[in-house]
Amino acid sequence: MTAIKKIGIIGAGQMGNGIAHVCAAAGFDVILLDINEEALKKGLGTITKNLDRALAKGKLTEADKAATLGRIKPTTAYADFSDSDLVIEAATEDEKIKRAIFAQLCPVLKPEAHIASNTSSLSITRLGAATDRPAKFMGMHFMNPVPVMQLVELIRGIATSEETFSLVREMTLKLGKKPVSAEDFPAFIVNRILLPMINEAVYTLYEGVGSVTCIDTAMKLGANHPMGPLELADFIGLDTCLAVMQVLHDGLADTKYRPCPLLVKYVEAGWLGRKTGRGFYDYTGETPVPTR
């Protein structure tokens, strides 16, 4: 069983740049791919900013920062994954997009290379079947923000080999993360529990039971949550929240998972949360202001 040494990451966005950060910090060589130079520049800028924050807190040295950044090679070419031992796909939560990525990725990989998807809800078995190596494919769901959150959900598809699972679990431990094994059911463990709660908070707002501020304050002070559910939804991205609820609704065929119409309306309006500057809060000013 060959150890993982070189890691490819597809997507330099919110999740991808975080995964690249922790992999490089743990000593792995990283190839970070996105569709254009602008996206890569933005992703590397986020990594640098997060490293600077850790530097200011005394958690690392200038040498550590330089070494971490030096291990990350940005690219727009799939061919650069040719010698990767593991490629982690961290694209948007859209199955068609992920399938299109795998169609470009698989032909350039060496036969022994493994693939993981950072999907937060989609079937690992179905995604694996879209590749040329379902036995070497599995789910590796990091939590956001990746450099801070310890948990990684590891999900086997029906075809995932024990060798693949063991290799990826060992690599996860080297990142300083805590792996938990989840079965290949819609949304796995965390989002199976978390997203229906967020969806119910949106229903509570939709039905006028409480305002944005009251709902978030109630859950922070009444349930001791560090963030209110609507604040958390904005942080995750309302499009991602909706996508997970749709997967739950379609996959489990239970009306309790029906996405709230208000959540649908916000996504249709392009109000996706922090990343667009507006969601359940408006982020254009110095402090977030509730939109309802």
Side-chain angles (χ1 to χ4, degrees), residues 23 31 60 133 138 151 187 207 210 221 232 237 244 265 267 270 273:
C23 289
I31 305 292
L60 52 78
R133 60 195 73 206
M138 63 178 287
L151 183 72
E207 294 167 4
L221 301 184
L232 180 56
V244 174
K265 187 176 290 187
V267 172

Side-chain angles (χ1 to χ4, degrees), residues 3-285:
I4 293 167
K5 295 178 181 177
K6 193 166 190 177
I7 299 171
I9 295 161
I10 299 174
Q14 190 175 49
M15 297 303 296
N17 71 61
I19 297 169
H21 176 162
V22 298
C23 289
F28 293 97
D29 290 324
V30 173
I31 305 292
L32 178 61
L33 178 142
D34 213 310
I35 55 174
N36 56 49
E37 296 292 341
E38 185 181 345
L40 288 167
K41 184 178 179 181
K42 185 177 179 182
L44 288 168
T46 299
I47 294 170
T48 302
K49 186 171 74 173
N50 288 335
L51 286 169
D52 284 339
R53 187 180 294 121
L55 186 64
K57 293 179 179 178
K59 294 183 178 180
L60 52 78
T61 65
E62 284 284 1
D64 295 329
K65 174 188 169 183
T68 296
L69 291 173
R71 294 187 192 102
I72 302 172
K73 178 188 174 184
T75 186
T76 57
Y78 279 86
D80 287 338
F81 290 135
S82 60
D83 59 348
S84 295
D85 301 306
L86 169 69
V87 176
I88 303 170
E89 170 273 310
T92 188
E93 193 71 348
D94 183 313
E95 188 165 337
K96 288 183 180 178
I97 291 174
K98 293 180 187 296
R99 284 173 172 269
I101 286 170
F102 299 145
Q104 295 181 78
L105 173 66
C106 290
V108 307
L109 292 179
K110 58 187 180 183
E112 61 270 28
H114 296 78
I115 305 173
S117 175
N118 184 56
T119 179
S120 57
S121 62
L122 299 172
S123 167
I124 297 302
T125 296
R126 197 165 63 240
L127 290 177
T131 74
D132 63 351
R133 60 195 73 206
K136 296 180 183 296
F137 185 96
M138 63 178 287
M140 195 179 188
H141 180 212
F142 289 82
M143 304 295 124
N144 184 35
V146 180
V148 175
M149 302 294 279
Q150 286 192 305
L151 183 72
V152 179
E153 289 181 310
L154 300 181
I155 309 103
R156 295 177 177 90
I158 196 170
T160 304
S161 71
E162 188 57 41
E163 179 188 359
T164 297
F165 184 85
S166 297
L167 270 173
V168 173
R169 187 178 185 280
E170 179 185 332
M171 172 259 186
T172 304
L173 290 170
K174 287 179 180 177
L175 298 181
K177 301 297 184 185
K178 174 68 177 177
V180 297
S181 178
E183 293 300 314
D184 190 18
F185 282 88
F188 319 129
I189 297 172
V190 173
N191 283 339
R192 173 74 178 266
I193 297 167
L194 177 64
L195 266 298
M197 184 200 76
I198 288 174
N199 193 52
E200 194 62 30
V202 182
Y203 266 116
T204 305
L205 177 65
Y206 179 60
E207 294 167 4
V209 179
S211 66
V212 169
T213 303
C214 288
I215 292 166
D216 278 351
T217 300
M219 292 306 292
K220 284 191 283 190
L221 301 184
N224 205 28
H225 289 189
M227 296 174 72
L230 301 176
E231 181 186 6
L232 180 56
D234 276 358
F235 183 76
I236 294 169
L238 303 192
D239 52 339
T240 301
C241 292
L242 177 59
V244 174
M245 289 310 301
Q246 288 170 332
V247 166
L248 283 166
H249 190 239
D250 294 344
L252 299 174
D254 193 322
T255 55
K256 74 180 180 180
Y257 298 116
R258 184 172 71 96
C260 178
L262 184 60
L263 178 59
V264 175
K265 187 176 290 187
Y266 270 52
V267 172
E268 289 176 343
W271 295 3
L272 308 182
R274 285 179 179 265
K275 61 187 173 185
T276 60
R278 189 178 180 94
F280 293 111
Y281 292 85
D282 185 324
Y283 298 93
T284 55

